[in-house]
């Protein structure tokens, strides 16, 4: 049988693990129809999304953004906005 102290330590370890598994905002797809590209609509959509994340006031310091590697136009769009490439999946 486990002592009460062991159970308490396990509970504390579980809580620490949950804190480490922080949730992050995720943007999986931002698409702009071809004829509207370079019109500013993509930037306005990103501005709005970034603003929403700030308004959540949950201490988020990053947003996970998924972009296909074979989409150099999109990659450049995000880089111009200050986003950085972290990893390819």
């Amino acid at each position: 049988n486990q002592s009460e102290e062991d159970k308490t330590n396990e509970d504390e370890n579980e809580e620490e693990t949950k804190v480490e598994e922080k949730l992050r905002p995720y943007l999986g797809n931002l698409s702009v129809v071809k004829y509207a590209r370079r019109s500013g609509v993509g930037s306005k959509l990103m501005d709005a999304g970034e603003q929403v994340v700030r308004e959540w006031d949950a201490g988020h310091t990053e947003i996970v953004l998924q972009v296909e590697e074979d989409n150099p136009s999109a990659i450049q769009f995000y880089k111009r906005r200050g986003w950085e490439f972290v990893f390819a999946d």
Side-chain angles (χ1 to χ4, degrees), residues 3 5 7 10 18 21 25 27 29 35 40-41 46-47 52-54 58 60 63-64 70-72 80-81 83 86:
S3 70
E5 184 177 340
K7 289 179 183 175
E10 282 182 13
K18 288 178 186 174
E21 297 172 359
L27 175 60
N29 189 4
Y35 68 81
V41 71
M46 285 300 298
D47 290 344
V52 166
V53 170
R54 282 190 289 277
H60 296 296
I63 300 172
V64 176
D70 63 352
N71 190 346
R80 282 193 306 271
R81 294 185 57 84
W83 289 71
V86 177

Side-chain angles (χ1 to χ4, degrees), residues 20-27 53 56 60-65 86-87:
E20 290 172 11
E21 297 172 359
K22 71 177 180 180
L23 299 175
R24 297 175 294 177
Y26 172 82
L27 175 60
V53 170
W56 285 343
H60 296 296
T61 58
E62 60 189 13
I63 300 172
V64 176
L65 171 64
V86 177
F87 69 91

Side-chain angles (χ1 to χ4, degrees), residues 35-83:
Y35 68 81
R37 292 179 189 160
R38 304 204 55 82
S39 70
V41 71
S43 291
K44 288 182 182 181
L45 288 167
M46 285 300 298
D47 290 344
E50 292 168 351
Q51 182 61 35
V52 166
V53 170
R54 282 190 289 277
E55 289 171 1
W56 285 343
D57 197 25
H60 296 296
T61 58
E62 60 189 13
I63 300 172
V64 176
L65 171 64
Q66 180 181 345
V67 182
E68 298 296 325
E69 288 182 278
D70 63 352
N71 190 346
S73 297
I75 292 168
Q76 285 307 308
F77 168 77
Y78 295 115
K79 283 184 176 179
R80 282 193 306 271
R81 294 185 57 84
W83 289 71

Side-chain angles (χ1 to χ4, degrees), residues 11-38:
D11 290 343
E12 288 173 0
N13 288 340
E14 285 179 27
E15 287 178 30
E16 287 176 17
T17 300
K18 288 178 186 174
V19 170
E20 290 172 11
E21 297 172 359
K22 71 177 180 180
L23 299 175
R24 297 175 294 177
Y26 172 82
L27 175 60
N29 189 4
L30 174 72
S31 298
V32 176
V33 68
K34 198 171 213 170
Y35 68 81
R37 292 179 189 160
R38 304 204 55 82

